[in-house]
Amino acid sequence: MDPLFHPRAIAIYGASSDPAKIGGRPLDFLKSSGYEGALYPINPKAATIQGLPAFATACAVPGVVDLAIVAVPAPAVLAALQDCAAHGVGAAVVLSSGFAEVGGVGAEWQRGITALARRTGMRVVGPNCMGVINVRRRILGTFTPSAAGFGLVPGRISLVSQSGAFGGYCLSMIRQRGLGLNLWITTGNQSDVDFADCVAHFAQDGDTDVIVGYIEAATDKVRLIAALELARSNGKRIVLMKVGSSDAGAQAAASHTASLAGSDQVYEGLFRQYGAYRARSIDELFDVAYACSLSAPRPAGRRLGLLTVSGGVGALMADVAAECGLDVAPMPEHAQRRLKEILPFCGPRNPVDMTAQLVNDLTLFEKNFQLMLEEGGYDLIVAFLSSVGQVLPLSSALLDQLQKVLARFPDRTVIVSMLASPEVRRLYEAAGVMLFDEPTRAVRAARALAYFAEEAQRARNRGAPPLLPAAALAPPRTVVNEVDAKTILASAGIPVVRELVAATEDAGARCAAEIGYPVVLKVASADIPHKSEIGGVIVGVRDETGLRAAFRTLLQRAGQHAPQARLDGVVVARMAGKGVETILGVVCDPVFGAVVMFGVGGIFVEAFKDVAFRIAPFGVDEARAMIAEVKGRILLTGLRGQPPADEEALAAAIAALSVYAAGHADALESIDINPFLVLPRGEGALALDALIVPRACE
Amino acid sequence: MDPLFHPRAIAIYGASSDPAKIGGRPLDFLKSSGYEGALYPINPKAATIQGLPAFATACAVPGVVDLAIVAVPAPAVLAALQDCAAHGVGAAVVLSSGFAEVGGVGAEWQRGITALARRTGMRVVGPNCMGVINVRRRILGTFTPSAAGFGLVPGRISLVSQSGAFGGYCLSMIRQRGLGLNLWITTGNQSDVDFADCVAHFAQDGDTDVIVGYIEAATDKVRLIAALELARSNGKRIVLMKVGSSDAGAQAAASHTASLAGSDQVYEGLFRQYGAYRARSIDELFDVAYACSLSAPRPAGRRLGLLTVSGGVGALMADVAAECGLDVAPMPEHAQRRLKEILPFCGPRNPVDMTAQLVNDLTLFEKNFQLMLEEGGYDLIVAFLSSVGQVLPLSSALLDQLQKVLARFPDRTVIVSMLASPEVRRLYEAAGVMLFDEPTRAVRAARALAYFAEEAQRARNRGAPPLLPAAALAPPRTVVNEVDAKTILASAGIPVVRELVAATEDAGARCAAEIGYPVVLKVASADIPHKSEIGGVIVGVRDETGLRAAFRTLLQRAGQHAPQARLDGVVVARMAGKGVETILGVVCDPVFGAVVMFGVGGIFVEAFKDVAFRIAPFGVDEARAMIAEVKGRILLTGLRGQPPADEEALAAAIAALSVYAAGHADALESIDINPFLVLPRGEGALALDALIVPRACE
């Protein structure tokens, strides 16, 4: 990818004398941007283009060409690329459209481009893309109007967007915000270079600290995951945007899990699994990128101190912090007393409120700030200073104090929220202190920084997936009844309820006697996946009389509501103790393979879509993270006098399921374990019902 | 309040020659702002202040004085106000601090101010406030540094803040955003003029369309509600900020409802009940205020059309729209075909994607826009135009098209999202078209506009609360058992389960025979409010043998787990059919009186805090709005083959409860009806358990 971003010379195919045209614009941009390499317009019809000598082909160029920008009509693109390859060009950016996005012969041309790239090793970006930018090298290999006049400052953010329009808008946003940019690329139809290639390149780039990405659809799970892991292990922070959440789960599906596993949910799981931060708006995308791009220390955790000149804004920040899971821990009592000695009317808890008194006594800032770091032990501080940033001498004095204190606590992160003049902003940012106009955005940025810190920590401590038991059975070839499904899952290390199948009433009575009353009776049939909807489950059967009555009732209901179903008999299962109902599931995604789902609370999983996904396989640490991620987790902690549930048994089962699913992804469509009952701590967990849908069903 | 905002002359007590001092700043501001009335510095120690003749007292001033700004030390304030009153001053703003906020003699002085205001009719703002501003009259009666240099443009927004620091920051934010402001006031300690007074004044002010408020704590329910209702009926839109949500429900409480009714939840209910929009960030506060301040038509509903030049941003907007409940309905099939004829590569559904092709063919905008309004019938359109706003001729041409189309559809609202130069922004806003840099913020603004439209509609159609039945019983004087509690609620028109209390096993058998098996047995005791925690409920009792066994078990458990409890016997209740469990509750708030709560789903209400509150009494329309507000409502609609629940019976019960609670607010602490079982549509609903906690318990 080096010739793409660091070319010594650039050839422009289809270079036009009209700087408003797609072929004219990159040349115009490059001529005026200050790019120091050679520029070669390629155009057989002119001797000079925009004042530069033009060449008929790249082969006619006297010197080396690292990068070609191709803006000829679609039918001529392949020939141009062949010419490039023949001249030893390292990389080409195809701006032209009319390829796979229009289908037909365009798709055929695009396959030709892919083949050429694979054959020659020349990297091709596009077609149908907006091009590339390297701000430090002043390379504008793009026709987006957003690059006109350059207007970019070098920085530590690199951006990759599958969409050209999105990339162009982001570029304008970056300029408007004055963010520092390093590399920018749009990948378009991804005939060769794709999103994962760009992330992997940025992951190894010394001038990049933050990777911003807009992803539409991944095509290669293995390379994407490798790129995300490389970025994380190289200490880069990744902020991604993925749109399309509103379509999730719209389609009907065979299992609960499948109906919840819109591709959006799978991406959400992927991002969390590999520590990427998912932004929900463009403001958030760049707020987080900005926060990560300054050379501030990385916080160790999520303990947040709030320092304010307004009690109201302090409370607002505390609300938002609590909502996004930051720990707004109070100052210790003795430190609160010291704060009160310094300023009797202050709010000493956390938020620490200096009140408007700060303006009369600037030293309050240093004193309070010092106390908060020393005694409060906060990983991060957000300081709200209202409009102080509009007065340079005041702001400058406060920055001095800030730096003095931070020198003593070099591992802490501080974010300042105030309305600031451009010169105050420059002053603070040059000192590595980030500024947000709006206090809730400062808190959300703090949350993102804590997220990255915790994800990095988690990645370091992450254990390997458990081993698949040697005795694990293969998935069935057709849908089997729930007892057989549970037998298979049990072989894979997932605990299941004790149960037997009885074909007759008498056999049922014997089974119940063996298992012990009370028992649950259920219709056993591969053809009735949702038994409760036909009344096919009777719980709390206490004795043989009850069992015989219930047995007859079930057979009657099955005959009435599902006359076509093949009955295997009646399941006699041990009545499980009190526990928390959860759901474990697997779907096999066309791109990501086996994906595991977890949720708490039966019908509420569907009502609230409160579920977590991960790409299989993974270990118990990742399973614990899934459990922590769902809101319903609170039900596992022991609400209203209930005992806390056995989360360790739950995590072990989720991890075991992921290993089984990954091992048999080719043979599976989906697995539903619903309910998976989590008993009180120390008592384990049990699959009460299960459905395995094999792949080759149709 | 008129002298406060439209004074012909202003006296400044404690006027200082130093424009940096609190007493010097308002005079300095007023001198340079362009205020046309007379200014009278009041200072017995100087002949002139800041070049103006000074007077020893207001009585010494030769002419009329409408407004006094008081910046003397706290001990001298009351005398200054007496002087004002003696001279017939209409209103006074007390900037000085050292009153109720410090307690002691300060609190006494403040009571003196209140008494003076009540006695003389002179309105007093503050003390301990930041003052008032009238932008059109160029009155800066404030010492906030945010007012320095004026820098304000007249507009249709008026702002009231209880907090001075918050108000000052908002003023800086208003200046930075270039929002048009009319009146601005901070109410501080509210010795006389309070938040409700200001809302009521704005509600009747011809130059105000949007009321922005920051409220900390209301003290007078009746006047606050009256002000909110007046504003709504006068067509003003109210955007409020209330902080402190993270403290909600932290304290232990006697009933479920009380534990959920943090004051924050009550305010949330109040705002929804009276159609105020609650902002969650300062950005949102001013985004919504801005959207409401332009002279755009008010949308009729929440049907949203999305027009875009980027498919990615279109999908992002659709995600956010779906998340906040807007209806992103697709274009009709035939209209999609017409869009495809206009531009074959467009996305025709909704979002309608014009692609970057717009830049080559500007007429696409008009054509698509016209089709969307004509055929899609959207109430609102959000159009994303990327960075087009940075090019004046392009932007201007698109605005012409927009206005041409809107002239044909004068009832539709359009919001444009693009990065715009200041001159393009002015051009669009002058034409009544609002601009947002960021597309998700444009969508959220659309959502706020739809909210106001629907709330106004709802207010017009809102029916009166039902009548309290003449036979309704008074609340008990002490906590009674659940059967007695249900008898009282039944008398108030709330349906309850059929049940009897039996003191002995034999009586229990007779009761069950009368009611009919299967039955539920429950310990009856006022001293055991949470029966299920001690195993005090046995369900599914099918016959007399079972009943006798269960009866004995219950007495034994009660004796074991609650030996001190007075037992009234055992409740024998009809086993209710299948339904959805909800919770209805009442708490009596010190400020707002009886407040009604509604939630769905037993333990999930507590896990997710997914509940709605309203101030009692109200009618079934408001009850329906409460039901629609909770996420758990989806469980009432009939998930996974369940029948839809009887929402009408539920709404009627909630309204009846509100009327009962309002009628007996003085005698009540709280009511819990949990579960309140909602049966399938047409079959009604039933209180299965109830707890009434009377006020005079302690």
Side-chain angles (χ1 to χ4, degrees), chain A residues 100-369:
Chain A
E101 81 280 12
V102 300
V105 68
E108 216 167 282
W109 290 332
Q110 186 170 320
R111 281 191 292 275
I113 295 176
T114 304
L116 176 79
R118 298 279 181 271
R119 200 171 64 240
T120 62
M122 180 175 75
R123 300 309 307 261
V124 179
V125 180
N128 189 31
C129 78
M130 282 269 193
V132 299
I133 294 175
N134 178 335
V135 177
R136 281 185 177 71
R137 300 289 305 276
R138 307 187 75 82
I139 294 160
L140 296 178
T142 175
F143 68 99
T144 177
S146 304
F150 201 68
L152 295 160
V153 291
R156 315 284 309 165
I157 299 170
S158 290
L159 183 146
V160 49
S161 171
Q162 265 190 267
S163 153
F166 197 95
Y169 174 70
C170 286
L171 196 63
S172 291
M173 190 59 112
I174 285 167
R175 289 175 64 162
Q176 172 163 309
R177 287 182 168 226
L179 293 178
L181 182 68
N182 183 33
L183 308 176
W184 177 95
I185 183 169
T186 62
T187 54
N189 291 5
Q190 305 199 141
S191 67
D192 173 33
V193 170
D194 71 359
F195 187 87
D197 286 320
C198 299
V199 171
H201 180 78
F202 296 164
Q204 299 165 86
D205 178 64
D207 291 325
T208 297
D209 284 338
V210 192
I211 300 171
V212 172
Y214 171 83
I215 183 168
E216 287 185 340
T219 46
D220 184 334
K221 161 194 172 182
V222 174
R223 286 195 307 113
L224 179 59
I225 288 179
L228 294 173
E229 287 200 310
L230 182 63
R232 177 156 70 175
S233 67
N234 285 354
K236 315 293 186 191
R237 291 184 280 193
I238 311 181
V239 196
L240 297 181
M241 175 152 270
K242 165 81 177 74
V243 298
S245 64
S246 51
D247 293 324
Q251 76 288 12
S255 72
H256 292 209
T257 307
S259 72
L260 289 161
S263 72
D264 186 77
Q265 292 268 25
V266 175
Y267 278 95
E268 176 81 26
L270 172 79
F271 295 169
R272 286 181 176 261
Q273 196 162 354
Y274 295 99
Y277 184 95
R278 182 174 187 183
R280 299 289 179 170
S281 72
I282 298 167
D283 272 346
E284 189 185 13
L285 189 68
F286 288 109
D287 279 357
V288 175
Y290 166 69
C292 295
S293 70
L294 292 178
S295 61
R298 301 187 176 200
R302 62 170 69 192
R303 199 175 160 92
L304 174 69
L306 296 167
L307 183 59
T308 182
V309 293
S310 153
V313 174
L316 172 64
M317 294 193 295
D319 287 352
V320 173
E323 183 201 319
C324 63
L326 290 166
D327 176 16
V328 189
M331 290 285 282
E333 291 293 340
H334 69 274
Q336 292 194 33
R337 278 193 299 276
R338 284 180 59 192
L339 285 167
K340 280 280 189 191
E341 283 160 25
I342 297 170
L343 179 67
F345 306 143
C346 78
R349 219 177 115 84
N350 185 23
V352 171
D353 183 5
M354 299 177 282
T355 77
Q357 194 56 29
L358 173 68
V359 182
N360 299 324
D361 177 6
L362 283 187
T363 68
L364 279 177
F365 186 62
E366 181 178 346
K367 289 174 191 157
N368 284 359
F369 191 49

Side-chain angles (χ1 to χ4, degrees), chain B residues 297-309:
Chain B
R298 302 188 174 199
R302 61 171 67 194
R303 199 174 160 92
L304 174 70
L306 296 167
L307 184 59
T308 183
V309 294

Side-chain angles (χ1 to χ4, degrees), chain A residues 25 101-102 130 145-146 163 165-166 168-169 172-173 176 214 216 241-247 256 259 264 278-284 309-313 315-316 318-320 322-323 345 356 359 384 386-387 390 417-420 436-441 444 530 532-533 539 578 600-604 606-608 610 631-632 634-635 639-642, chain B residues 25 101-102 130 145-146 163 165-166 168-169 172-173 176 214 216 241-247 256 259 264 278-284 309-313 315-316 318-320 322-323 345 356 359 384 386-387 390 417-420 436-441 444 530 532-533 542 578 600-604 606-608 610 631-632 634-635 639-642:
Chain A
R25 227 183 266 171
E101 81 280 12
V102 300
M130 282 269 193
S146 304
S163 153
F166 197 95
Y169 174 70
S172 291
M173 190 59 112
Q176 172 163 309
Y214 171 83
E216 287 185 340
M241 175 152 270
K242 165 81 177 74
V243 298
S245 64
S246 51
D247 293 324
H256 292 209
S259 72
D264 186 77
R278 182 174 187 183
R280 299 289 179 170
S281 72
I282 298 167
D283 272 346
E284 189 185 13
V309 293
S310 153
V313 174
L316 172 64
D319 287 352
V320 173
E323 183 201 319
F345 306 143
V359 182
F384 174 74
S386 193
S387 342
Q390 291 171 339
S417 170
M418 62 183 180
L419 294 168
F436 286 90
D437 286 353
E438 213 261 9
T440 67
R441 287 167 76 168
R444 290 188 191 282
H530 302 304
S532 60
E533 289 177 12
V539 302
K578 267 186 121 173
V600 178
I603 201 162
F604 288 85
E606 288 171 71
F608 297 106
D610 177 32
K631 289 206 193 73
I634 193 170
L635 296 177
L639 271 190
R640 280 202 89 76
Q642 304 293 321
Chain B
R25 226 183 267 169
E101 82 279 12
V102 299
M130 282 270 193
S146 303
S163 152
F166 197 95
Y169 175 70
S172 291
M173 190 60 113
Q176 172 163 309
Y214 171 82
E216 287 185 340
M241 175 152 270
K242 166 79 178 73
V243 301
S245 65
S246 51
D247 293 324
H256 292 209
S259 73
D264 187 76
R278 183 176 187 180
R280 299 289 179 172
S281 71
I282 298 168
D283 272 346
E284 190 185 13
V309 294
S310 154
V313 174
L316 172 63
D319 287 353
V320 173
E323 183 202 319
F345 305 144
V359 182
F384 174 74
S386 195
S387 345
Q390 291 171 338
S417 171
M418 62 183 180
L419 293 168
F436 286 89
D437 285 353
E438 213 261 9
T440 68
R441 285 166 76 169
R444 289 187 193 281
H530 301 305
S532 60
E533 289 179 11
R542 290 168 188 276
K578 267 186 123 173
V600 178
I603 201 164
F604 289 86
E606 289 172 68
F608 296 106
D610 176 31
K631 290 205 194 74
I634 194 170
L635 297 177
L639 273 189
R640 281 202 89 76
Q642 304 293 321

